[in-house]
Amino acid sequence: MGAGKTVSTLTALEDLNLLEDVFPALVLAPLRVAKSTWPQEVRDWPHLKHLRVSPIVGNAANRIGACNTKADIYTCNYDNLVWLVEYYGERWPFVTVVADESTRLKNFRTRQGGVRTKALATVAFSKIKRFINLTGTPAPNGLIDLWGQNYFIDGGHRLGRTFTSFTSRWFQRAFNGFGSEPLEHAQKQIEDVLHDVCLTIDAKDWFDLKDPIVSNRYVDLPIRARQLYKDMEDEMFMEVEGHEIEVFNAAARTQKLLQVASGAVYVDPLTESDLDRKHSKEWKVVHDLKMEELESIIEESAGMPVLVAYHFKSDLARLLKHFKTARQLDASSATIDAWNKGKIPILLAHPASAGHGLNLQHGGNIIVFFSHDWSLENRLQILERIGPVRQLQSGYDRPVFVYNIIARDTADEMVIARVEGKQSIQDIFLNAMKVRGLL
């Protein structure tokens, strides 16, 4: 991440166009990246300024207008992919497709899977001549994520024609009976079959980077919160201010445990994610220890801006109420510009929406993870927004400080341990891809 995937791809396409037709090209990306990052990269580099970019975003009228605008490169967010395929039908014009943050395609299945990836598959092998995947986190959940992305590269030639054949060859049922885990020989064999279509750039090979300075700041739950945590952990039930909360599976229990650790609990009896349920709006504060620890970190920053990553909507509401100078990261470029100019002392961002393609390194070099989730990809992406690579690229000779606020002896510690474990799998895979051509 941060090694220049966007400008490198644009430059490669421009050079390839001297030998074959690669335009018009379609770039699929998260909304902000499709709307701002790719057009901005073209404007920033002199050798690319002649390229015309048309973002296919917004309402239907705007999207149709963008489609009818003459351009070399069209950008579209993944949420509009189904619409785009239906709009063009047999008239599909794009000979090249670039999937930026290609892990969005990992849920592709030939028989099942996501609606967007199925729509893309209807044109991927009949109308698209060149398909390019870009990602800084190709295997955030392990090797299992590779099949769906790579299928669009070669139609299943390397990893198997079906997801079932892929898992049958390289995976077995996990020891605990849930999910799958790779066989002992899987890592090496998958690296061998993919090395000729993968190129990895590790910034450490090219830049003198300083590793982030990581500090884990622990808080101990007060007696009342600890009892609530124990009740939910042991019996999958707890009572908060007269509200009885009961869950019925391990995933829902973990969500509640993370909420207690964070300091506020949703009181509706949900079974999965509190964030995705419209009726889950009421929450109760059970402690403010993380808020107090964040205050301490901000004081230590001595006036330097601080980027704060949160997980639950209740976190956002409490942070905005507690820190009057805090501001939520939104879709407007004005907020990003204000942060990068040092006008926002505390920027609150959810990792899922603040990762891909955003440049926040000008605003500061301190990030605090107030609460945590299981996604390694989200964590790495938001960290890279102000990470060592971007700091160096922008001419800042300063370290990056990462603070994890962790409730001791809670699910917070499990999440940190889990994402660190996942990272080792991914790093091994990325390092292996660096030796392409030498295997």
Side-chain angles (χ1 to χ4, degrees):
M1 297 182 293
K5 296 187 296 296
T6 305
V7 65
S8 298
T9 301
L10 288 168
T11 303
L13 291 178
E14 174 65 9
D15 290 347
L16 282 169
N17 198 49
L18 299 174
L19 304 175
E20 61 182 85
D21 290 332
V22 299
F23 300 126
L26 173 67
V27 175
L28 299 172
L31 177 59
R32 284 182 179 141
V33 180
K35 183 179 180 180
S36 302
T37 303
W38 283 80
Q40 186 62 46
E41 287 287 315
V42 168
R43 292 191 293 266
D44 286 347
W45 294 89
H47 70 291
L48 300 174
K49 285 185 176 180
H50 64 282
L51 293 176
R52 297 161 296 178
V53 182
S54 181
I56 306 174
V57 298
N59 58 36
N62 290 338
R63 297 196 299 268
I64 292 173
C67 290
N68 293 325
T69 299
K70 189 171 181 59
D72 304 294
I73 299 168
Y74 297 80
T75 62
C76 179
N77 57 309
Y78 284 99
D79 291 335
N80 283 326
L81 179 55
V82 175
W83 176 90
L84 189 68
V85 173
E86 293 176 349
Y87 174 77
Y88 280 111
E90 291 299 317
R91 301 179 294 113
W92 181 266
F94 308 111
V95 295
T96 302
V97 169
V98 179
D100 196 358
E101 305 306 339
S102 62
T103 51
R104 300 292 181 95
L105 305 178
K106 67 182 181 181
N107 67 341
F108 174 68
R109 305 287 187 274
T110 51
R111 295 184 179 180
Q112 299 176 345
V115 175
R116 290 177 293 187
T117 49
K118 279 190 172 182
L120 182 60
T122 63
V123 295
F125 309 108
S126 58
K127 299 182 182 298
I128 298 172
K129 296 180 180 179
R130 184 183 295 274
F131 203 101
I132 301 170
N133 285 335
L134 302 177
T135 178
T137 53
N141 296 299
L143 298 174
I144 201 77
D145 286 346
L146 296 175
W147 185 84
Q149 300 172 71
N150 196 72
Y151 193 90
F152 288 97
I153 298 295
D154 64 3
H157 174 72
R158 289 171 177 80
L159 296 184
R161 299 289 182 181
T162 66
F163 183 71
T164 300
S165 64
F166 170 64
T167 55
S168 297
R169 180 177 180 182
W170 283 303
F171 293 82
Q172 63 185 356
R173 183 171 291 278
F175 179 75
N176 60 9
F178 297 95
S180 301
E181 59 184 17
L183 296 167
E184 184 177 350
H185 61 273
Q187 182 89 32
K188 179 63 167 58
Q189 289 188 1
I190 291 175
E191 291 166 0
D192 288 346
V193 298
L194 291 184
H195 81 274
D196 64 323
V197 290
C198 291
L199 175 65
T200 296
I201 300 297
D202 191 335
K204 291 182 179 180
D205 294 339
W206 303 91
F207 302 107
D208 181 18
L209 296 179
K210 298 179 176 67
D211 290 333
I213 299 173
V214 180
S215 177
N216 292 335
R217 305 289 285 262
Y218 288 89
V219 299
D220 293 299
L221 294 183
I223 295 175
R224 175 173 172 269
R226 175 59 65 185
Q227 186 59 53
L228 291 174
Y229 189 95
K230 189 175 187 302
D231 290 344
M232 178 55 64
E233 188 177 46
D234 294 345
E235 302 178 15
M236 303 179 77
F237 174 89
M238 63 182 173
E239 183 175 345
V240 180
E241 296 186 14
H243 295 272
E244 295 183 350
I245 304 172
E246 185 177 12
V247 296
F248 303 96
N249 57 54
R253 175 172 58 182
T254 301
Q255 283 291 91
K256 291 300 179 187
L257 294 177
L258 287 172
Q259 289 169 19
V260 175
S262 182
V265 178
Y266 286 89
V267 296
D268 289 333
L270 306 182
T271 57
E272 289 293 342
S273 172
D274 290 309
L275 294 176
D276 298 329
R277 304 300 181 90
K278 293 182 179 180
H279 69 277
S280 177
K281 296 181 179 180
E282 186 177 4
W283 44 267
K284 301 294 182 181
V285 175
V286 294
H287 69 83
D288 280 322
L289 292 178
K290 285 196 173 187
M291 209 73 66
E292 296 168 5
E293 189 62 36
L294 179 56
E295 278 185 356
S296 177
I297 294 171
I298 292 173
E299 289 177 0
E300 293 173 16
S301 69
M304 285 292 294
V306 177
L307 176 62
V308 179
Y310 66 89
H311 181 46
F312 299 104
K313 289 182 179 179
S314 57
D315 297 336
L316 174 61
R318 293 165 58 218
L319 288 165
L320 287 172
K321 181 179 179 180
H322 192 91
F323 297 97
K324 302 304 181 183
T325 59
R327 185 167 169 182
Q328 180 187 5
L329 177 66
D330 53 31
S332 70
S333 59
T335 301
I336 298 174
D337 290 342
W339 161 262
N340 281 327
K341 292 177 181 178
K343 296 180 179 180
I344 301 177
I346 305 171
L347 185 64
L348 310 176
H350 193 288
S353 61
H356 308 303
L358 296 183
N359 295 315
L360 303 176
Q361 69 274 14
H362 302 291
N365 59 323
I366 302 171
I367 182 171
V368 180
F369 288 91
F370 180 84
S371 50
H372 313 280
D373 66 42
W374 296 97
S375 175
L376 169 64
E377 182 179 11
N378 287 345
R379 181 182 177 88
L380 292 180
Q381 286 288 354
I382 191 172
L383 175 58
E384 187 52 34
R385 298 315 102 201
I386 66 167
V389 175
R390 293 185 183 273
Q391 296 289 337
L392 193 62
Q393 286 176 333
S394 299
Y396 301 119
D397 184 19
R398 60 190 184 189
V400 174
F401 295 91
V402 180
Y403 294 89
N404 297 310
I405 303 181
I406 302 170
R408 198 187 311 274
D409 297 325
T410 70
D412 277 357
E413 292 181 330
M414 293 189 292
V415 171
I416 296 298
R418 178 61 171 161
V419 295
E420 289 176 353
K422 286 181 181 179
Q423 187 172 7
S424 65
I425 297 173
Q426 182 164 278
D427 285 346
I428 292 172
F429 177 78
L430 289 174
N431 289 334
M433 290 301 101
K434 286 196 295 184
V435 299
R436 65 178 297 270
L438 299 178
L439 294 176

